[in-house]
Amino acid sequence: MAHKDWGPRDTESELTRLKSITDKALLQNVEKRYRAGNIYTRSGRIVLAVNPYKKLPLYTEETLQAYKASLAPQVELPPHVYAVASSAHSGMLRTSTSQSVIISGESGAGKTETAKILLEYLAEVSCSGSDLHTRVLKTNPIMESFGCAKTVWNNNSSRFGKFLTLQFSASGRMQGAFMKTYLLEKSRITSQLPGEQNYHVLYTVAKGLSSAQRTEFGLPKGSDAVESFKLLNLKKAGDVKWADFPCDFKELTEAFAVIPSLNDKQASCWRVIMAVLYLGNLSFTGQGEDDAKVKDPAVVAAVARLLSCETAQLEKAICTQNMKAGLDWISKPNTVAYASDVKNALTKALYSRLFDYIVEMVNVSLEKSGDEMRYFIGAVDIFGFECFPTNSLEQLCINFANEKLQKMFTQAVFESVLSEYQKEGIDVGDITYEDNKLLVELIDKPATGILSLLAEECFFPNGTDASFAQKIKLAHARHPCFAEVKLDRTAFTLSHFPGKVTYQSTGFLEKNKDPLSQDLVVLMQFSDDDFVKTLFEEKQSTAMAGSVRRFKSAKFVGLIDGFRTSLNQLVKTLEGTKTHFIRCVKPNMDKKAMSWDEDVMQRQLYTSGVVQAVQATRKGFPDILPFAELLSRFEQVVPKAAIGKAGAEGVRALLKGAEVPERDYRVGKTKVFLGVGVLDRLEQRRMEYIASKVISMQVLARGYLARRRLLAKRDAKAGGDYKKQQEAKRAAEAALRKKREEAAAAAAAAKEEEAAAKVRQARYQRARKMSFERKTAKSKKEEAEQAEQEKKAAAEKESEKKRFSLFKKKAADEAKAEARAEEARKAAEKKKKEDDVWAQYNFHCEVSDILGYAEYIGMDIKEDAHLLWIADEALQAPEPQGWEQRLDPKGGVYYYHPTTGMSLNQHPLDHHYQQFYLQMKAQYDAMYTSKGDAGGEGGAKPGTAAQAPIEFLPYKGGPYEEGSGGAAQKKGLFGMGKKKEVKGPVEEMWELSCQLDRQQDGLGIGLTLDNIIVEVEPGGSVATQGELQYGDKIVAVDNNTLGHRMLKDVIVPQRTHQLIVKYARMSTQPPSPRRERAKKLVPDKGAAPRRIEEIEVKIRREKGTGRLGFGIDAMNTIVEVDPNGPVAGQLQVGDKIISVDGSKLNFKRFVDTVGRTEEHILCIARLHAADPSIAAGRGLKKSKSRKSATSLQGSGSQLLRSQSRYSEKMPALREVRLIKETDETKIGAVFHRSDDAFDKSFFNVEGSSVQPIIKKVDPGSMAECSGLVPGDVVLSVNGISGLSNFQVVEMLRKGQGVFNLVVISGRQVQQTFTGAAPSPRR
């Protein structure tokens, strides 16, 4: 029996137990086991599986039940996939941690079959009581048929990656499943290498359709149906080896029937597959650059019939394209080569979208039931390492995925373990291993990696496969893992962990772009077949508000970008689980059973890391447990061994009691390291201990039940007098009970008779009473009717009098109403002329167009009135360069980019302006609280009768002259003016340098945009140190001058910071300890001295309404004061509330702290200017823009002034043209290299780059002459938006020709937020 067969006696099922671990010893051990039918061998955490290329009796029901029943299958039973699955399932329940099984190996090593076996065990052992496990198993024939094909190395090779997660409840019952797929090989659909085949399902469906279906689809009769389709790559039907297929057509339809969401879609799926096969037969007359014309119209008709669209429109969409030339639309015929590409793109799109749909429907049928899912077990069945005679982008991505998994294997088996050894002070000697970190970086490194350079090359109009190959050769010529192919300019070689692979870059760019004609997409979306429509419908993104959708970005996203994202997510998921490894290897390259090639096996054992893992395991200790976990888990198993002991002493005592030799473990500082098999033996002993306790409990229960049965039997055997006595006793009790029941029945009958008599008496009395009441009511009714008639007559007489008086009054009221209406009409006309709302905005476009576009991108006209300038700028934006307008078969206009192959249904800049609007709105929302807070204290957004918070401008100062005493000096002509002393107290500026110890949660202060301290957190760094105070302005940190930057954008977290601050104090204030350490500064001429004072203000609520009459922002700063409200004259815009009624706010909101009493005492911090005479003495000129407009007159006029003030600062959008005659021409502009820092500074966005920003422009350069200035934000280059700094720099540096840049002034964007006056532009 397989579950008892440990293999030949002279072999070891655990490689680490071999006496010798030389290459020869390892190979001989594995070979002997392989030839004896033992294809599985263990090496620590790794199970080695050798592909037998034949059926073996290793997976019987008896074998499965044996592994299922075993308490420790890793110890008690031979190595097996079932043992790995059992270990994962029991480990999940034991440690409450999700598990994953990584199945890896080269193509043809048996990974897919291994995954199926693993899935069968998990479905059986965790049966959910429903048909869920059946549905999970039936996904195998479906996914293999649609995703596997015959290759040079494998008859059933997976051409996609799969990560299947089985979801479990806390009790270990399967609740659902989810499948994630990666990178289906699309190119195989339209072309295969010699000796290879297309996907299995194409052959299965073509052969297995019923007679009625064959007639419907127009298939030829007989066995020649398969060989009649070019995509199947067959010379004759006999070339197909049906035995190698995962299932036949009948089994496939049965699998579809088990999946509820696919059962009724079978006919539609077969129809799409037949359309794919017919498209492969579509050919054109002519060749190369000739105009494309369909050779056989019947083929187009067949495809159109299967896809339920019009034949003429399908042919036109493939052979022609409608584009705009000037103001006219022209129809341009496609060349034969281009039409073939269009046809192939449709073929691949149909199949790949059908594949994605099937995966989606499978997931729907497997989704978890209820909310009990706690953990999962994931099985990674990803495409194996490949090396074909010709290797393209698909092979590069497949091999890169294997490199990532190999890196994870190295990390799990070697790096993390060695790091743990070093940390715990364990010496295990010199352990070496192969690390593929350099190769992973070569492929995936940002900016310079092969995949990054490929994505970059797709942006360039003149980018080709040859230029891409040349670029990577220049970038990586000296890389140890990269080599050029001297005889082929478009080829390059990479040294992967299994060996060297030569890649042919021809077709890399086109495959990454993966273009699909928008004409064909629209045609499919208008199909009469709902299933075809579903395949091509656009995925609806999250709506912004109501029915407004987010637009598709014009930024190019290639095939590899999505693949890299998915692969990184997979690795991240696996890193969060406990991993198990199954390494699949193939014994030969010919797919022959019982054939052993020693060189092939030795290469795989080395490159997969198995040899190194065996050596590391022999030298090291694979299982590592913290002291507490070992003691808590096993101290009951080894009784009295470690009682009352803890830490290292307890661990040593426990292992000694368990008879574990000292050579098999090491005790570190906090953890114990166990040798091979020690943990398995302890676990086995623990399970045996638990089983013995369970048996003891069963003994007690069975004994109790046996005693109960014994007593019953003893009573039955007794019989005789005892039995008669019991019967007599029961008879007497029955007679007594009957007598009592009869007496009770008689008493009940008497009571019922008495109750009936009472009821009859009550009815007689109630009848007499009702007769008397009817007579009385009749007489009263007659009297009431007579009185009502008299009253009605009197009322009619009185009504006649009132009617006359009302007529007179109505005539007078109508006359007055007409007079008031006339006055209102005249007032409205006057106000409309004087106060035109939209005229205040100075829009360049029609208001109706602006409002329409604003709603189109998702604006709320009422709430976002202050952002309507974005819509105005958008309507003025020039047409993007590089995009063509085209006409789809249904008359719709779309945009097409020839360089990247992208198609958009909306204007290419719509996405940018929608994102720009969302960023600006988010910034405003962060600065102003929404309306409607309790008591009217809430702030309001610009444009809604509210004022922006006061701006704390940086103070520019220098050192005082000796002996000046703080006096301001005003110079006359040529600097010969006399010194003028200012009488009375003056404001002085001081500079203080201090050292601050940083706490774990930061500095504990709140700052304005100009780094002025307006909030101190109790217990924070600043509050504890006591040097810094309210109103201090931080000007430098750690020898870095802040300038116009915010502290958070400059400071680098460290234990101690050196800060320089400036603060203002009156000359009459007594000296303080910190003033003695500070330096006095001289202010610039004309600068208004300002300081922050703390003032106590007593305010009262308005009678009747209870409102306070001011608005605040999220930082408790007053942004609005009602001039007619109860606090007018007491509070000012810009005041910051520090405390209310003696309670300090600190980081609490005012509206959450203030009570509802009539009076409140506020402590406020006010930014206070010096005496006007002092300011005048310094030559300060009052600026109109610096005035604080706090008055609120009518709601309309103040709103208009506020919105007008914002519209004056709107960013200027413009187009800049640069012309480079050669690629050596210098532009003269420097871009910021760190996107995130400047995106945070300008847009308050972190982690996702918004736009490239110009840092410097050389005088007299092309950039300056074209109108570029520092701070400009580049929105798009030649119509391509969403580019990063690196991409823009590379395009401008390496390209030549005309570059059309759409830019927006970033400085003005920032001034919109800070309120600073815009600096003059050149």
Side-chain angles (χ1 to χ4, degrees):
M1 290 182 288
H3 62 278
K4 295 183 179 179
D5 184 9
W6 289 86
R9 293 184 178 181
D10 59 341
T11 64
E12 289 286 352
S13 61
E14 171 61 65
L15 292 177
T16 56
R17 290 201 293 262
L18 287 171
K19 295 180 181 179
S20 172
I21 55 172
T22 61
D23 295 351
K24 185 176 181 180
L26 290 174
L27 285 170
Q28 286 180 350
N29 186 79
V30 175
E31 182 181 2
K32 288 181 180 179
R33 293 180 57 80
Y34 166 72
R35 295 191 182 280
N38 304 104
I39 62 174
Y40 298 111
T41 308
R42 187 185 296 114
S43 173
R45 295 176 60 183
I46 309 168
V47 170
L48 186 68
V50 185
N51 191 345
Y53 291 114
K54 67 177 182 178
K55 300 289 184 180
L56 292 176
L58 299 178
Y59 316 104
T60 62
E61 181 66 22
E62 181 184 5
T63 303
L64 190 149
Q65 294 301 326
Y67 281 88
K68 180 180 177 181
S70 175
L71 297 177
Q74 298 278 32
V75 177
E76 297 177 346
L77 298 173
H80 200 288
V81 176
Y82 290 163
V84 178
S86 176
S87 176
H89 187 259
S90 60
M92 176 189 69
L93 298 177
R94 185 174 64 250
T95 64
S96 300
T97 305
S98 294
Q99 312 279 312
S100 59
V101 181
I102 301 178
I103 306 170
S104 59
E106 297 183 8
S107 180
K111 298 182 300 300
T112 301
E113 289 298 321
T114 302
K116 287 166 57 177
I117 298 167
L118 180 82
L119 194 60
E120 288 173 1
Y121 180 88
L122 292 174
E124 174 66 25
V125 78
S126 57
C127 180
S128 61
S130 64
D131 65 339
L132 177 61
H133 69 288
T134 303
R135 280 180 275 145
V136 170
L137 294 177
K138 287 298 182 181
T139 62
N140 282 325
I142 296 176
M143 298 311 300
E144 287 187 49
S145 295
F146 279 86
C148 295
K150 178 185 176 182
T151 65
V152 175
W153 307 120
N154 191 356
N155 292 337
N156 189 36
S157 175
S158 293
R159 310 315 301 158
F160 72 106
K162 179 177 69 174
F163 181 48
L164 179 64
T165 57
L166 303 181
Q167 301 158 346
F168 295 88
S169 65
S171 62
R173 187 174 294 274
M174 187 162 58
Q175 299 294 315
F178 183 82
M179 184 189 304
K180 175 72 175 176
T181 59
Y182 306 90
L183 194 68
L184 178 71
E185 187 183 21
K186 294 183 183 180
S187 62
R188 178 168 297 275
I189 303 167
T190 55
S191 63
Q192 306 91 38
L193 294 175
E196 295 191 346
Q197 293 180 358
N198 217 317
Y199 289 101
H200 294 324
V201 71
L202 299 178
Y203 302 87
T204 304
V205 173
K207 177 180 176 60
L209 290 174
S210 65
S211 299
Q213 290 172 322
R214 297 170 73 87
T215 303
E216 178 187 354
F217 299 152
L219 279 174
K221 297 181 180 180
S223 61
D224 58 346
V226 177
E227 61 190 60
S228 63
F229 294 109
K230 296 179 180 178
L231 289 184
L232 300 184
N233 195 23
L234 296 173
K235 294 182 180 178
K236 56 183 179 179
D239 293 341
V240 182
K241 296 182 180 179
W242 300 105
D244 295 334
F245 279 45
C247 63
D248 57 23
F249 186 72
K250 181 182 179 182
E251 294 169 335
L252 182 61
T253 55
E254 290 173 352
F256 264 71
V258 173
I259 308 298
S261 51
L262 284 177
N263 186 28
D264 58 344
K265 303 294 183 184
Q266 292 190 45
S268 299
C269 293
W270 311 150
R271 188 176 293 107
V272 172
I273 287 176
M274 295 310 304
V276 169
L277 292 175
Y278 273 111
L279 277 170
N281 288 354
L282 181 61
S283 58
F284 308 93
T285 59
Q287 58 184 0
E289 298 300 317
D290 298 339
D291 292 348
K293 292 183 180 179
V294 174
K295 181 181 292 185
D296 186 359
V299 177
V300 182
V303 175
R305 184 178 66 255
L306 291 168
L307 298 177
S308 299
C309 60
E310 296 184 14
T311 304
Q313 289 185 346
L314 178 61
E315 182 176 353
K316 185 177 180 182
I318 294 175
C319 297
T320 62
Q321 49 187 310
N322 293 324
M323 59 179 59
K324 195 171 186 179
L327 298 177
D328 299 326
W329 292 95
I330 62 172
S331 179
K332 176 186 175 183
N334 293 331
T335 63
V336 172
Y338 188 82
S340 298
D341 292 340
V342 172
K343 181 257 296 184
N344 289 337
L346 176 61
T347 307
K348 292 184 285 188
L350 281 168
Y351 189 85
S352 62
R353 293 183 186 225
L354 176 62
F355 179 84
D356 294 339
Y357 175 84
I358 289 174
V359 172
E360 182 180 353
M361 291 300 101
V362 166
N363 285 331
V364 168
S365 70
L366 300 181
E367 62 185 355
K368 69 182 181 69
S369 56
D371 298 324
E372 298 184 21
M373 197 274 286
R374 294 284 298 277
Y375 319 109
F376 70 83
I377 298 178
V380 181
D381 176 18
I382 207 160
F383 14 58
F385 179 83
E386 294 183 347
C387 180
F388 295 130
T390 301
N391 301 285
S392 189
L393 180 62
E394 293 87 356
Q395 280 67 48
L396 177 62
C397 292
I398 287 172
N399 294 341
F400 171 61
N402 280 272
E403 292 285 355
K404 294 278 280 189
L405 293 180
Q406 177 68 14
K407 183 181 178 182
M408 186 177 177
F409 170 79
T410 303
Q411 170 69 24
V413 176
F414 299 107
E415 293 181 3
S416 60
V417 175
L418 292 179
S419 175
E420 199 71 32
Y421 287 159
Q422 185 178 7
K423 181 180 176 181
E424 293 288 324
I426 304 297
D427 184 15
V428 293
D430 186 21
I431 297 178
T432 60
Y433 61 93
E434 296 292 333
D435 186 8
N436 65 339
K437 180 179 179 181
L438 288 176
L439 183 63
V440 172
E441 289 184 351
L442 170 65
I443 299 175
D444 196 35
K445 188 176 182 180
T448 59
I450 292 176
L451 297 183
S452 299
L453 293 176
L454 174 60
E456 175 190 312
E457 195 68 15
C458 291
F459 284 108
F460 294 107
N462 55 351
T464 63
D465 297 323
S467 64
F468 161 68
Q470 187 65 23
K471 182 178 292 186
I472 60 175
K473 289 177 181 179
L474 292 175
H476 305 294
R478 298 183 179 180
H479 197 284
C481 299
F482 182 88
E484 299 184 28
V485 179
K486 295 183 179 180
L487 300 180
D488 192 342
R489 295 179 57 189
T490 60
F492 60 93
T493 300
L494 299 182
S495 298
H496 290 281
F497 71 90
K500 294 183 177 181
V501 179
T502 298
Y503 296 96
Q504 181 59 248
S505 67
T506 303
F508 267 43
L509 267 66
E510 192 70 16
K511 289 179 180 179
N512 185 43
K513 294 175 183 179
D514 193 24
L516 176 62
S517 170
Q518 184 70 10
D519 294 355
L520 292 171
V521 172
V522 171
L523 201 60
M524 298 300 104
Q525 291 173 345
F526 280 87
S527 169
D528 294 333
D529 188 340
D530 291 336
F531 184 77
V532 176
K533 284 183 182 179
T534 303
L535 296 182
F536 284 85
E537 66 183 4
E538 293 185 7
K539 301 296 182 183
Q540 295 297 326
S541 58
T542 305
M544 291 167 50
S547 60
V548 179
R549 66 180 177 87
R550 291 185 183 272
F551 295 120
K552 182 180 177 182
S553 173
K555 181 178 180 180
F556 170 70
V557 179
L559 183 70
I560 59 172
D561 295 315
F563 175 67
R564 292 164 76 181
T565 301
S566 299
L567 190 59
N568 290 334
Q569 291 174 350
L570 172 64
V571 172
K572 185 177 180 181
T573 301
L574 295 177
E575 288 175 345
T577 65
K578 170 69 174 177
T579 53
H580 307 261
F581 297 95
I582 300 178
R583 288 293 198 181
C584 298
V585 294
K586 49 188 178 183
N588 57 78
M589 302 298 289
D590 303 319
K591 299 181 284 188
K592 292 181 180 179
M594 303 308 295
S595 174
W596 181 269
D597 189 324
E598 188 169 313
D599 293 336
V600 172
M601 283 295 298
Q602 185 172 7
R603 173 178 56 80
Q604 292 177 92
L605 291 180
Y606 261 99
T607 57
S608 63
V610 173
V611 173
Q612 297 92 327
V614 172
Q615 295 171 350
T617 305
R618 281 282 288 264
K619 292 182 180 180
F621 304 88
D623 296 310
I624 306 171
L625 294 177
F627 292 159
E629 183 178 346
L630 183 77
L631 292 172
S632 63
R633 189 162 184 78
F634 300 110
E635 63 182 352
Q636 296 298 327
V637 180
V638 188
K640 300 181 181 181
I643 294 178
K645 299 179 181 179
E649 183 182 1
V651 168
R652 289 191 177 94
L654 187 146
L655 293 176
K656 183 177 181 181
E659 300 179 353
V660 178
E662 292 186 3
R663 66 177 182 275
D664 288 345
Y665 69 88
R666 294 288 186 275
V667 179
K669 299 175 183 177
T670 61
K671 299 178 181 179
V672 59
F673 296 76
L674 304 177
V676 178
V678 174
L679 182 61
D680 291 336
R681 292 196 296 273
L682 289 174
E683 286 289 354
Q684 181 183 12
R685 189 165 177 176
R686 179 175 178 271
M687 296 305 294
E688 290 173 351
Y689 174 81
I690 294 174
S692 67
K693 297 301 180 183
V694 171
I695 292 173
S696 300
M697 294 173 65
Q698 290 176 344
V699 168
L700 293 175
R702 288 172 179 172
Y704 172 75
L705 294 174
R707 284 191 293 273
R708 289 286 302 272
R709 289 194 296 269
L710 178 62
L711 290 174
K713 289 181 180 179
R714 182 181 300 170
D715 293 342
K717 289 181 179 179
D721 296 338
Y722 175 78
K723 188 173 183 181
K724 292 179 181 179
Q725 290 174 4
Q726 293 296 322
E727 290 177 354
K729 184 178 179 181
R730 284 195 293 271
E733 290 176 352
L736 180 62
R737 185 165 54 252
K738 183 177 180 182
K739 186 175 180 181
R740 289 175 180 173
E741 290 175 354
E742 290 175 352
K751 287 183 180 180
E752 289 179 0
E753 182 63 27
E754 184 181 354
K758 290 182 179 180
V759 170
R760 287 194 296 271
Q761 182 66 21
R763 286 179 181 173
Y764 174 72
Q765 292 177 355
R766 186 165 63 253
R768 291 188 62 186
K769 184 178 179 181
M770 291 176 64
S771 177
F772 175 76
E773 289 176 350
R774 281 196 296 270
K775 291 178 180 179
T776 305
K778 184 176 181 181
S779 62
K780 287 183 178 180
K781 182 178 180 182
E782 291 173 352
E783 292 174 0
E785 288 178 352
Q786 185 177 358
E788 182 67 25
Q789 290 176 359
E790 293 175 356
K791 185 178 179 181
K792 187 174 182 181
E796 287 179 356
K797 188 175 181 180
E798 185 67 25
S799 176
E800 188 67 27
K801 291 180 181 180
K802 288 183 178 180
R803 195 179 297 116
F804 181 72
S805 63
L806 288 174
F807 177 76
K808 293 173 63 178
K809 185 179 179 181
K810 183 178 180 182
D813 290 344
E814 287 178 353
K816 291 180 181 180
E818 289 179 0
R820 286 196 300 269
E822 182 64 21
E823 291 176 0
R825 185 181 61 80
K826 291 180 179 179
E829 291 180 354
K830 182 179 180 181
K831 185 177 180 180
K832 185 176 180 181
K833 293 179 181 178
E834 296 176 352
D835 199 16
D836 186 358
V837 174
W838 303 116
Q840 300 293 325
Y841 282 90
N842 287 326
F843 285 143
H844 295 84
C845 301
E846 291 292 334
V847 174
S848 59
D849 295 339
I850 293 172
L851 297 181
Y853 187 78
E855 292 181 349
Y856 173 66
I857 64 174
M859 283 191 185
D860 186 319
I861 303 300
K862 183 178 180 181
E863 293 291 331
D864 302 324
H866 58 292
L867 296 175
L868 287 175
W869 57 270
I870 296 177
D872 188 29
E873 294 285 358
L875 294 175
Q876 299 175 68
E879 283 295 318
Q881 296 293 322
W883 290 87
E884 298 176 356
Q885 290 190 43
R886 293 192 176 182
L887 203 64
D888 64 45
K890 298 299 180 180
V893 178
Y894 66 93
Y895 286 82
Y896 175 74
H897 200 281
T899 300
T900 62
M902 285 187 65
S903 297
L904 294 175
N905 288 326
Q906 84 274 350
H907 194 283
L909 293 181
D910 286 346
H911 173 266
H912 163 73
Y913 282 107
Q914 187 180 65
Q915 295 302 307
F916 189 47
Y917 152 67
L918 293 174
Q919 292 160 10
M920 297 289 283
K921 181 178 176 64
Q923 183 67 27
Y924 278 114
D925 288 344
M927 293 171 59
Y928 306 99
T929 56
S930 59
K931 296 185 293 182
D933 288 340
E937 292 88 347
K941 298 178 184 178
T944 56
Q947 190 174 11
I950 189 166
E951 180 203 4
F952 299 98
L953 296 175
Y955 193 94
K956 299 179 180 179
Y960 262 101
E961 298 178 4
E962 268 310 299
S964 64
Q969 182 178 1
K970 183 176 180 180
K971 294 186 178 182
L973 189 63
F974 303 113
M976 301 300 293
K978 296 181 179 180
K979 188 180 295 184
K980 180 178 179 181
E981 298 290 340
V982 178
K983 298 180 180 180
V986 296
E987 185 183 56
E988 301 173 343
M989 292 298 299
W990 297 81
E991 184 177 274
L992 174 67
S993 176
C994 64
Q995 185 172 307
L996 185 65
D997 293 332
R998 184 187 187 93
Q999 294 184 355
Q1000 186 175 1
D1001 55 351
L1003 300 180
I1005 53 176
L1007 302 174
T1008 66
L1009 292 174
D1010 290 330
N1011 303 308
I1012 296 178
I1013 299 176
V1014 291
E1015 202 160 11
V1016 178
E1017 181 182 7
S1021 301
V1022 172
T1024 303
Q1025 186 253 12
E1027 283 278 13
L1028 305 183
Q1029 300 177 6
Y1030 288 101
D1032 289 354
K1033 176 181 173 64
I1034 302 176
V1035 296
V1037 56
D1038 300 329
N1039 297 322
N1040 292 320
T1041 303
L1042 299 182
H1044 293 287
R1045 297 176 294 177
M1046 296 181 67
L1047 177 67
K1048 65 185 179 64
D1049 296 329
V1050 178
I1051 192 170
V1052 177
Q1054 55 191 36
R1055 185 167 184 80
T1056 303
H1057 295 289
Q1058 193 72 27
L1059 301 179
I1060 300 178
V1061 300
K1062 292 182 181 180
Y1063 65 93
R1065 289 292 181 268
M1066 297 303 295
S1067 59
T1068 56
Q1069 288 180 318
S1072 62
R1074 77 170 190 161
R1075 187 183 295 187
E1076 296 177 359
R1077 300 192 301 274
K1079 298 185 215 176
K1080 189 189 296 184
L1081 302 176
V1082 175
D1084 288 342
K1085 295 180 182 180
R1090 292 140 61 104
R1091 61 191 175 87
I1092 289 183
E1093 292 182 335
E1094 291 189 9
I1095 305 172
E1096 189 171 278
V1097 180
K1098 186 175 183 180
I1099 63 173
R1100 296 176 63 89
R1101 291 183 181 271
E1102 188 176 64
K1103 292 183 179 180
T1105 62
R1107 72 187 187 96
L1108 294 176
F1110 65 89
I1112 60 173
D1113 64 6
M1115 300 295 293
N1116 300 319
T1117 302
I1118 297 175
V1119 296
E1120 179 186 0
V1121 178
D1122 187 351
N1124 301 320
V1127 299
Q1130 293 178 284
L1131 301 180
Q1132 300 177 7
V1133 173
D1135 289 347
K1136 179 176 178 64
I1137 303 176
I1138 300 174
S1139 68
V1140 53
D1141 297 329
S1143 176
K1144 279 191 173 290
L1145 297 180
N1146 291 322
F1147 287 85
K1148 295 181 291 186
R1149 295 179 63 204
F1150 172 82
V1151 294
D1152 297 333
T1153 308
V1154 67
R1156 299 297 299 176
T1157 57
E1158 187 177 353
E1159 292 185 351
H1160 299 286
I1161 298 177
L1162 306 181
C1163 181
I1164 63 172
R1166 176 171 294 170
L1167 188 64
H1168 185 70
D1171 187 86
S1173 62
I1174 300 176
R1178 293 180 180 175
L1180 177 65
K1181 295 182 180 180
K1182 293 184 177 180
S1183 171
K1184 183 177 180 180
S1185 63
R1186 294 285 298 277
K1187 288 183 179 180
S1188 177
T1190 60
S1191 62
L1192 280 173
Q1193 299 172 3
S1195 61
S1197 61
Q1198 178 64 21
L1199 171 64
L1200 295 176
R1201 279 196 296 274
S1202 175
Q1203 293 173 339
S1204 177
R1205 182 165 60 252
Y1206 275 86
S1207 65
E1208 292 173 1
K1209 303 172 185 177
M1210 298 310 169
L1213 189 75
R1214 63 195 189 281
E1215 184 179 24
V1216 175
R1217 174 168 293 190
L1218 304 173
I1219 302 177
K1220 289 186 63 179
E1221 296 181 356
T1222 66
D1223 55 1
E1224 301 295 330
T1225 305
K1226 301 296 182 183
I1227 292 177
V1230 179
F1231 285 78
H1232 289 294
R1233 302 299 292 182
S1234 177
D1235 291 341
D1236 290 342
F1238 285 88
D1239 292 342
K1240 180 194 287 186
S1241 174
F1242 278 89
F1243 300 101
N1244 195 27
V1245 173
E1246 184 174 11
S1248 58
S1249 302
V1250 180
Q1251 299 292 350
I1253 304 170
I1254 294 178
K1255 179 179 181 181
K1256 177 185 175 184
V1257 175
D1258 296 338
S1261 64
M1262 181 193 304
E1264 184 185 51
C1265 296
S1266 300
L1268 292 176
V1269 295
D1272 280 346
V1273 182
V1274 179
L1275 305 183
S1276 67
V1277 179
N1278 289 342
I1280 303 176
S1281 62
L1283 302 175
S1284 67
N1285 278 335
F1286 178 80
Q1287 292 168 334
V1288 171
V1289 170
E1290 288 297 295
M1291 292 181 71
L1292 298 179
R1293 181 168 64 88
K1294 297 182 179 180
Q1296 62 180 0
V1298 179
F1299 294 92
N1300 291 282
L1301 278 62
V1302 177
V1303 300
I1304 192 169
S1305 176
R1307 295 193 177 198
Q1308 294 193 8
V1309 174
Q1310 191 179 38
Q1311 290 155 6
T1312 302
F1313 297 146
T1314 62
S1319 58
R1321 298 291 296 272
R1322 182 173 300 176

